[in-house]
């Protein structure tokens, strides 16, 4: 790993404890890497694998690794936040890749011959490296230009600053700690009280709503309510079966809405890029010294993406025996969905990776693919790349708030991908050998007693692959409807918000502010925000809205108080408001509880009991935004 020059290292502040190496020295990066890749990453990876096999979702590792990493870098003072950020970046990559073991489980369910473990690890590593490159390419658009919130990234940034800066710690520890404690309590109530669990209460859902606010949360709830209202009609026309929820078809509409809005935004960005290129023609290039930490070498980044795309094609075709055409199609599709999923993650803290998998299967099915093995392998490219690409963007959003060097973060994440690819295969085989019940195809055998091993994500994959070779007309219509809504709504929003008269009216009075709120939240909401209502159940949207509305109401009420604090010089950084700290604490608290559930389940059900036993299913917090 490349480090700054020795001269730069000499200028770095000395750590509080003599045994700690100086910042930005080789020993410093060796320490951070060792802790992240040998301790934090495997810890999160074990929890992610267990939760995916038992529950069908996993908690992202950023918040957990950020909290634990801050303990290692506390001795560096405020500058330690960058080191903790590097560690959580690497550890989250390891954990995220480990959770992809459900793909190996899906192969087992479908009776697909298992390739050698090192072939699978190489295949996953190539996808991951390609995904982080795409994630970095889209970072300037999503993080710098669109300034998406990325609620978990927001929470991590606040945690790292608070835990490494005494002044911020003193001011924020009450709100952050209180939110974390409340998150643990909420998660425990969901586990121990079935009546509470039935409400789908989730601390992280409320916390994410508190971070993004009412203008994002209300549109999500509206789409969920509309979906509930039209469900009987969808059943009557055969789009849904009796008893199925709206999201069974809503996720297709939602994805297409995001794609439609992204088409509009990308077109405008392309026009602006052409304008800037023409304006800079003939002028010497100047480095932006102020934002040097943002700078990446675009030529090297493009070369990285091209190299790993070529490596992925070679491994998929020559090692895994996949057809060239569908492999290339999956790579091209991934280039679009890393952007789409990144937008969804940035707004709602939801990365719909399984939806990207299903969409890929549907599209390849429409192109005539009939082989489930090819469908699984090709769609896996989207699943893994969208997962790591979203992590890349979320980590960069944390770095954006901290001013962390993006190039160094990129290197940490890449190393984490390599470790995670190996851990993914190892953990999948370990779990399935310890509990053969994980190899039972519960989609084909719905009456099978699988106990706690629900494997909901694998169930969804296998369900999509069972119908490969047939793309229903109604699903094509659903995609077309979502695309039309996304494009038309985003165009109208762009025209309205470009009007100087409208902007002056909204900013000029209380009536204007109220009008702007009604337009953004109810009449012409962002497709990015509304789409969340198509990915999750209605009650999840309700709790998301509770957090968003409560946060916006509180911040509006506190506006005069915040202004007074600013004058007195006692203010926290702009993005460390009370609601963001409490919301981040809620996310952290539920993540900590979920980690405890995962580790307890691993040791009690996998390592300490015989393989033939099938223990009764323990409840676990419904972390719907993971």
């Amino acid at each position: 790993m490349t480090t700054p020059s020795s001269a730069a290292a000499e200028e770095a502040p000395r750590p509080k404890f003599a045994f700690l190496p100086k910042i930005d020295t080789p020993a410093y990066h060796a320490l951070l890497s060792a802790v992240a890749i040998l301790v934090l990453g495997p810890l999160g990876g074990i929890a992610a694998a267990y939760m995916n096999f038992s529950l069908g979702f996993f908690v992202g590792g950023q918040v957990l690794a950020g909290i634990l990493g801050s303990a290692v870098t506390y001795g560096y003072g405020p500058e330690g936040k960058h080191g903790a950020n590097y560690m959580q970046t690497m550890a989250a990559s390891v954990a995220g890749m480990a959770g992809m073991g459900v793909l190996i489980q899906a192969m087992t369910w479908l009776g697909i011959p298992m390739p050698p473990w090192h072939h699978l690890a190489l295949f996953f590593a190539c996808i991951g490296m390609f995904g982080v490159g795409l994630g970095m390419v889209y970072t300037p658009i999503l993080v710098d230009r669109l300034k998406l919130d990325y609620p978990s990234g927001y929470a991590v940034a606040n945690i790292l600053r608070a835990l490494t800066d005494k002044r911020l710690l003193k001011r924020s520890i009450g709100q952050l700690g209180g939110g974390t404690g409340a998150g643990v309590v909420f998660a425990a109530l969901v586990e121990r009280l079935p009546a509470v669990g039935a409400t789908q209460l989730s601390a992280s859902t409320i916390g994410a709503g508190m971070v993004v606010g009412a203008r994002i949360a209300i549109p999500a709830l509206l789409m969920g309510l509309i979906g509930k209202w039209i469900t009987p009609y969808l059943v009557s026309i055969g789009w849904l079966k009796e008893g199925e929820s709206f999201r069974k078809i809503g996720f297709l509409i939602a994805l297409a809405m995001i794609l439609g809005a992204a088409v509009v935004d990308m077109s405008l960005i392309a026009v602006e890029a052409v304008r800037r290129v023409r304006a800079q023609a003939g002028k010497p290039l100047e480095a932006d010294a102020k934002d040097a930490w943002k700078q990446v070498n675009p030529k090297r980044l493009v070369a990285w993406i091209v190299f790993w795309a070529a490596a992925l094609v070679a491994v998929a075709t020559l090692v895994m025996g996949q057809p060239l055409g569908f492999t290339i199609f999956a790579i091209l599709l991934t280039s679009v969905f890393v952007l789409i999923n990144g937008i969804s993650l940035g707004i709602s803290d939801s990365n719909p990776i399984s939806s990207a998998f299903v969409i890929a299967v549907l599209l390849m099915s429409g192109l005539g693919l009939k082989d489930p093995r090819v469908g699984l392998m090709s769609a896996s490219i989207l699943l893994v790349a969208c997962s790591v690409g979203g992590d890349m963007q979320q980590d960069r959003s944390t770095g954006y708030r901290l001013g962390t060097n993006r190039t160094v973060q990129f290197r940490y994440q890449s190393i984490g991908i390599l470790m995670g690819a190996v851990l993914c295969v190892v953990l999948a085989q370990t779990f399935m050998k310890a509990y053969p019940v994980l190899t039972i195809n519960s989609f084909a055998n719905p009456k099978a007693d699988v106990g706690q091993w629900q494997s909901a994500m694998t169930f969804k994959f296998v369900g999509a692959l069972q119908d490969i070779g047939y793309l229903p007309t109604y699903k094509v219509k659903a995609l077309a409807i979502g695309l039309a809504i996304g494009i038309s709504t985003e165009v109208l929003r762009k025209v309205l918000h470009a009007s100087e008269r409208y902007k002056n009216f909204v900013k000029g009075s209380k009536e204007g502010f109220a009008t702007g709120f009604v337009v953004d939240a109810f009449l012409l909401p962002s497709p990015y925000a509304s789409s969340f209502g198509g990915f999750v159940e209605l009650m999840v949207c309700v709790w998301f809205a509770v957090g968003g509305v409560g946060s916006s109401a509180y911040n509006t009420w506190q506006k005069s108080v915040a202004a007074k604090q600013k004058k007195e010089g006692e203010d926290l950084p702009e993005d460390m408001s009370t609601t963001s700290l409490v919301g981040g604490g809620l996310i952290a608290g539920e993540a900590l509880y979920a980690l405890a559930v995962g580790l307890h389940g691993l040791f009690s059900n996998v390592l300490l009991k015989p393989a033939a036993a099938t223990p009764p299913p323990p409840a676990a917090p419904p972390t719907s935004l993971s």
Side-chain angles (χ1 to χ4, degrees), residues 316-330:
T317 55
L318 301 178
V319 178
M320 305 299 291
Q322 298 299 297
L324 177 63
F326 282 110
T327 299
I328 294 177
F329 177 74

Side-chain angles (χ1 to χ4, degrees), residues 339-604:
L339 174 64
I340 294 174
N341 283 38
I343 293 172
S344 175
L345 182 63
I347 288 180
S348 65
D349 209 31
S350 171
N351 187 354
I353 55 176
S354 57
S355 297
F357 182 99
V358 174
I359 286 285
V361 171
L362 291 176
L363 293 178
M364 288 185 289
S365 181
L367 293 174
L369 179 63
K370 300 183 184 299
D371 186 347
R373 181 177 184 273
V374 175
L376 175 63
M377 290 298 179
S378 298
S380 296
I381 296 175
L382 276 87
L383 184 80
V384 177
C386 287
S387 176
V388 301
D391 281 348
M392 166 66 75
Q393 294 153 7
Q394 185 163 271
D395 293 338
R396 292 314 84 82
S397 75
T398 300
Y400 179 85
R401 292 180 169 88
L402 301 179
T404 302
N405 187 290
R406 282 182 178 170
T407 300
V408 178
Q409 251 189 304
F410 183 90
R411 293 168 184 159
Y412 271 84
Q413 184 159 25
S414 300
I415 296 172
I417 293 296
L418 296 176
M419 175 65 173
V422 175
L423 193 62
C424 168
V425 180
V426 172
L427 287 178
Q429 293 181 344
T430 299
F431 273 93
M432 287 193 290
K433 286 180 179 178
Y435 268 79
V437 70
L438 286 171
T439 64
I440 296 176
N441 184 347
S442 59
F443 188 90
N445 302 279
K447 295 183 179 181
D449 182 12
V450 296
Q452 73 187 63
W453 307 105
Q454 297 296 308
S455 303
M457 188 178 290
T458 309
F459 188 93
K460 185 185 297 186
F461 297 161
V462 173
L465 290 165
Q466 293 280 48
D467 295 329
I468 198 165
Y470 171 65
L471 180 60
T473 304
Y474 75 90
K475 292 187 177 181
V476 177
K477 291 180 179 178
L479 289 169
I481 290 171
L483 190 65
I485 293 174
I487 292 176
S488 58
T489 304
E490 193 66 13
V491 168
L492 291 174
R493 284 176 55 83
K494 287 290 188 290
V495 172
L496 181 63
H497 287 283
S499 169
E500 290 296 329
R501 184 177 179 182
Y502 175 76
K503 289 190 288 186
N504 292 333
F505 170 67
V506 169
K507 295 178 180 179
S509 64
K510 293 182 178 179
E511 292 79 8
F513 175 82
T515 300
F517 178 82
V518 170
V519 169
D520 288 342
F522 294 94
L523 302 181
L524 207 61
S526 166
Y528 301 131
S530 300
S531 63
F532 183 59
F535 292 127
V536 299
E537 297 290 356
L538 177 60
M539 284 306 300
V540 177
C541 295
V542 170
W543 294 119
F544 188 56
V546 166
V549 172
S551 173
S552 293
Y554 179 84
N555 287 333
T556 300
W557 178 59
Q558 286 287 312
K559 211 168 187 179
S560 59
V561 177
K564 181 179 179 181
Q565 288 178 341
K566 188 173 183 179
K567 291 178 183 178
E568 294 174 355
E570 299 175 353
D571 57 312
L572 292 169
E574 184 178 350
D575 58 355
M576 290 186 73
S577 65
T578 297
T579 54
S580 70
L581 286 167
V582 174
L586 288 171
I587 296 173
E590 187 165 275
L592 287 169
Y593 189 86
L595 174 64
V597 169
L599 292 177
H600 175 267
L602 173 71
F603 286 106
S604 62

Side-chain angles (χ1 to χ4, degrees), residues 300-316:
R300 290 183 181 178
L301 186 56
V302 170
W304 174 282
I305 294 173
V306 171
F307 173 82
W308 285 109
L312 177 55
V313 170
V315 171

Side-chain angles (χ1 to χ4, degrees), residues 185-331:
V185 171
F186 278 156
L189 287 175
V190 170
E191 178 189 2
R192 298 178 183 278
L193 301 177
V196 177
T199 66
Q200 298 184 28
L201 174 66
S202 170
S204 64
T205 305
I206 297 175
M210 293 178 69
V211 171
V212 301
R215 293 182 193 236
I216 300 298
I218 289 177
L221 176 59
L222 287 179
M223 182 166 179
L225 291 171
I226 292 172
K228 182 72 173 179
W229 177 53
I230 66 174
T231 294
Y233 172 72
L234 297 176
V235 171
S236 69
I237 62 175
W239 284 30
L240 291 174
K241 296 179 182 178
E242 192 68 41
E244 290 183 337
S245 68
F246 168 69
R247 70 171 182 163
K248 187 75 178 288
I249 190 67
F251 84 91
L252 293 175
I253 300 173
L255 277 175
M257 286 172 60
I258 296 176
L259 177 59
V263 166
V264 176
D265 284 331
M266 292 300 292
S267 299
L268 294 177
I269 290 171
V271 170
E272 182 179 342
V274 171
R275 181 185 62 79
R276 290 189 179 186
V277 169
R278 290 178 177 175
Q280 293 295 325
K283 296 182 180 180
L285 296 176
E286 297 180 2
D288 187 355
K290 181 179 178 181
D291 293 332
W293 57 270
K294 289 184 183 179
Q295 305 305 316
V296 294
N297 189 314
K299 292 182 179 179
R300 290 183 181 178
L301 186 56
V302 170
W304 174 282
I305 294 173
V306 171
F307 173 82
W308 285 109
L312 177 55
V313 170
V315 171
T317 55
L318 301 178
V319 178
M320 305 299 291
Q322 298 299 297
L324 177 63
F326 282 110
T327 299
I328 294 177
F329 177 74
I331 289 174

Side-chain angles (χ1 to χ4, degrees), residues 103-235:
L103 293 169
I104 299 174
Q105 185 185 28
M107 294 176 66
T108 303
W109 282 21
L110 292 168
I112 297 173
M114 193 67 61
W117 75 268
H118 54 285
H119 289 179
L120 280 172
L122 179 62
F123 180 58
F124 290 152
C126 289
I127 300 173
M129 292 300 199
F130 176 64
V132 297
L134 286 179
M136 181 64 94
V137 163
Y138 293 134
T139 291
I141 298 173
L142 304 182
V143 176
D144 300 343
R145 179 184 171 83
L146 297 181
K147 292 182 170 58
L148 301 182
D149 285 307
Y150 289 93
S152 286
Y154 205 139
V156 173
N158 285 344
I159 289 168
L160 296 185
R161 284 183 292 190
L163 296 181
T164 54
D165 188 313
K166 285 186 177 180
R167 182 184 68 88
L168 297 180
L169 183 62
K170 181 180 178 181
R171 290 292 313 279
S172 62
I173 191 63
Q175 295 124 338
L176 185 62
T180 303
V184 173
V185 171
F186 278 156
L189 287 175
V190 170
E191 178 189 2
R192 298 178 183 278
L193 301 177
V196 177
T199 66
Q200 298 184 28
L201 174 66
S202 170
S204 64
T205 305
I206 297 175
M210 293 178 69
V211 171
V212 301
R215 293 182 193 236
I216 300 298
I218 289 177
L221 176 59
L222 287 179
M223 182 166 179
L225 291 171
I226 292 172
K228 182 72 173 179
W229 177 53
I230 66 174
T231 294
Y233 172 72
L234 297 176
V235 171

